[in-house]
């Protein structure tokens, strides 16, 4: 499995305009074959900081995701929303354990 975690930033005043694009991206991604989890979360302490978490079954699923039309639409929205300072990392992970 592949785990993607990290953050993106945008001006806090653009967050309301970003929500529909973020929702569309999350819904389309969650419907993809191999997407086990996909989400965005606002940081409660830093306005405009969005935490990203994705879990993919394998590299083929992630490659298909990166080639999808909805990711192209999402990326095309970034300049108008002033989304920047992306810090996303991919990790290979095993099966989760309950703590």
């Amino acid at each position: 499995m592949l785990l993607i975690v990290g953050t993106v930033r945008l001006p806090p005043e653009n967050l309301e305009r970003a929500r529909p694009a973020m929702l569309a991206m999350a819904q389309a991604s969650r419907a993809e074959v191999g997407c086990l989890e996909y989400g965005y979360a606002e940081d409660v302490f830093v306005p405009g900081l969005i935490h990203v978490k994705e879990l993919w079954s394998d590299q083929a699923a992630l490659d298909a995701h990166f080639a999808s039309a909805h990711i192209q639409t999402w990326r095309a929205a970034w300049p108008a929303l002033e989304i920047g300072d992306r810090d996303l990392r991919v990790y290979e992970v095993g099966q989760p354990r309950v703590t």
Side-chain angles (χ1 to χ4, degrees):
M1 287 187 290
L2 299 174
L3 174 66
I4 299 176
V5 292
T7 57
V8 296
R9 291 181 185 270
L10 69 156
E13 62 271 15
N14 291 352
L15 190 53
E16 285 306 312
R17 289 189 306 118
R19 284 183 202 281
M22 292 169 69
L23 178 60
M25 179 61 182
Q27 288 176 330
S29 297
R30 289 173 180 172
E32 289 183 67
V33 172
C35 180
L36 306 174
E37 194 172 330
Y38 195 102
Y40 301 119
E42 293 177 53
D43 191 290
V44 297
F45 303 113
V46 182
L49 181 64
I50 305 298
H51 294 271
V52 179
K53 184 172 88 171
E54 307 174 29
L55 186 61
W56 297 90
S57 60
D58 54 34
Q59 188 63 52
L62 185 57
D63 290 343
H65 170 67
F66 287 141
S68 68
H70 56 271
I71 202 166
Q72 303 309 319
T73 300
W74 170 232
R75 288 178 175 170
W78 292 356
L81 297 171
E82 298 178 67
I83 291 176
D85 292 331
R86 294 175 52 246
D87 181 14
L88 300 169
R89 297 166 193 232
V90 180
Y91 300 91
E92 290 187 33
V93 297
Q95 292 298 315
R97 65 180 183 190
V98 177
T99 58

